[in-house]
Amino acid sequence: MIKERPAIDWFEIISENFMDSQGWPAEALSEIARHYRAVPHGVSLSIGSSEPLNQAYLKRLKQLADRIDAPWVSDHLCWTNCNGFNSHDLLPMPYTEASLQHVADRVKHVQDFLGRRLLLENPSSYLSFKSSTMPEWAFLAELAEQADCGVLLDVNNVYVCQRNHGWDPHAYLAALPAGRIGQMHLAGHTDYGSHCIDTHIGPVPGSVWALYGDALARFGSVSTLIEWDEAIPDFPILQAEATRAKAWMQGQERPVSVATPTNPSSEFKVSNPVDFMVGYEVDV
């Protein structure tokens, strides 16, 4: 894939997979970054935790972002750490004024340290706290304004959560400040009838494409990423999903044919996050 340079505008990498990588993974990342934009997407920042921010983690994240000249970094509105233990899960948090101020202060510190904007993703969730005093969308909107950060809008997560919690997805989108949406995610999920699980498996469902159309109408053509983390298919199938997202941006509802550019532009709008990771996993 690296030699062929497919017509993908940019790539997302899982931050933790490349912070300390050497050998082939580091070489492959350097080669990708020479020809495409690459953006780190983390799962262990634990921005919502009550524990102090991990400065060693932030230092390694900054080194990675600097190395690939990342335009921004992203992570999730959640917590993962407790008493020094990393759960490796994106755990929900209570949406209160106290937690809002706590997270806003931490986001400011992270952005100052990294020297670039942090985008926080709305998480998928399966339970909520009785102590919450505001809906998630109001919390996320106010956080973006107070901390002067961006939002990574995961459209699939909005759909999953509206199924699990009975939220109005259109109210969710309407509450977010348009100027703060720096990126979007699209993915598949597993529907169990009574609830949905954010599994990142299979193509993007029609229900998520429809909600993506609503998001485009409100926020415009924002850089969009296809997530596919389970039962990963051959690269052309992944590329077709990314191409379909670009077709939606262009006001079409069907995929458009894409020719491989001889000199890919630094302008990036649509990506596939696992494209890079597929090669790494197969070679191991």
Side-chain angles (χ1 to χ4, degrees):
M1 187 200 72
I2 295 177
K3 294 180 180 179
E4 295 173 356
R5 297 186 194 173
I8 293 292
D9 296 329
W10 63 290
F11 291 86
E12 183 176 88
I13 61 172
I14 302 301
S15 304
E16 292 78 7
N17 287 353
F18 292 94
M19 282 180 172
D20 302 311
S21 64
Q22 300 180 20
W24 187 89
E27 180 181 345
L29 175 57
S30 296
E31 183 67 16
I32 288 287
R34 273 194 287 269
H35 302 287
Y36 300 90
R37 285 285 196 180
V39 180
H41 180 57
V43 293
S44 298
L45 178 61
S46 199
I47 198 69
S49 174
S50 60
E51 294 190 346
L53 287 164
N54 187 329
Q55 291 300 130
Y57 174 92
L58 288 177
K59 182 178 180 180
R60 291 155 56 214
L61 178 58
K62 177 175 172 55
Q63 290 172 341
L64 173 64
D66 289 345
R67 179 154 57 97
I68 62 176
D69 192 25
W72 65 76
V73 297
S74 64
D75 208 290
H76 302 77
L77 180 60
C78 71
W79 60 281
T80 60
N81 298 338
C82 182
N83 293 327
F85 173 74
N86 188 343
S87 68
H88 296 288
D89 206 348
L90 309 176
L91 302 171
M93 53 184 296
Y95 299 125
T96 65
E97 291 293 341
S99 59
L100 175 61
Q101 186 60 57
H102 173 70
V103 176
D105 290 342
R106 288 161 70 87
V107 169
K108 292 175 186 177
H109 175 82
V110 169
Q111 292 190 138
D112 289 344
F113 185 87
L114 296 179
R116 48 182 43 87
R117 174 148 295 186
L118 175 67
L119 306 186
L120 285 178
E121 175 182 338
N122 56 295
S124 59
S125 60
Y126 313 95
L127 56 81
S128 58
F129 288 86
K130 291 183 178 180
S131 59
S132 292
T133 58
M134 66 184 81
E136 180 178 285
W137 49 92
F139 185 98
L140 186 56
E142 185 60 29
L143 174 62
E145 296 296 342
Q146 285 194 24
D148 191 24
C149 68
V151 173
L152 195 171
L153 176 61
D154 191 309
V155 180
N156 181 60
N157 286 354
V158 173
Y159 179 84
V160 166
C161 287
Q162 67 98 9
R163 286 287 307 280
N164 293 339
H165 301 297
W167 296 347
D168 180 350
H170 305 290
Y172 197 117
L173 298 182
L176 298 180
R180 296 288 179 181
I181 310 300
Q183 184 186 330
M184 295 190 204
H185 275 175
L186 295 172
H189 56 259
T190 302
D191 191 335
Y192 290 96
S194 61
H195 62 286
C196 289
I197 302 293
D198 178 34
T199 52
H200 294 178
I201 189 170
V204 178
S207 54
V208 176
W209 282 118
L211 193 57
Y212 179 56
D214 294 341
L216 288 174
R218 171 162 173 76
F219 305 120
S221 296
V222 178
S223 296
T224 298
L225 183 99
I226 304 294
E227 295 183 298
W228 196 326
D229 300 336
E230 297 290 338
I232 300 172
D234 291 337
F235 182 82
I237 296 176
L238 296 170
Q239 186 176 18
E241 285 289 278
T243 302
R244 187 176 184 186
K246 179 171 284 188
W248 275 87
M249 285 185 183
Q250 297 170 343
Q252 306 172 28
E253 294 188 1
R254 294 183 299 175
V256 295
S257 59
V258 177
T260 303
T262 57
N263 184 21
S265 170
S266 62
E267 178 71 14
F268 55 105
K269 284 296 182 182
V270 181
S271 180
N272 199 306
V274 297
D275 297 342
F276 189 10
M277 299 305 298
V278 168
Y280 172 57
E281 294 171 349
V282 169
D283 286 350
V284 167

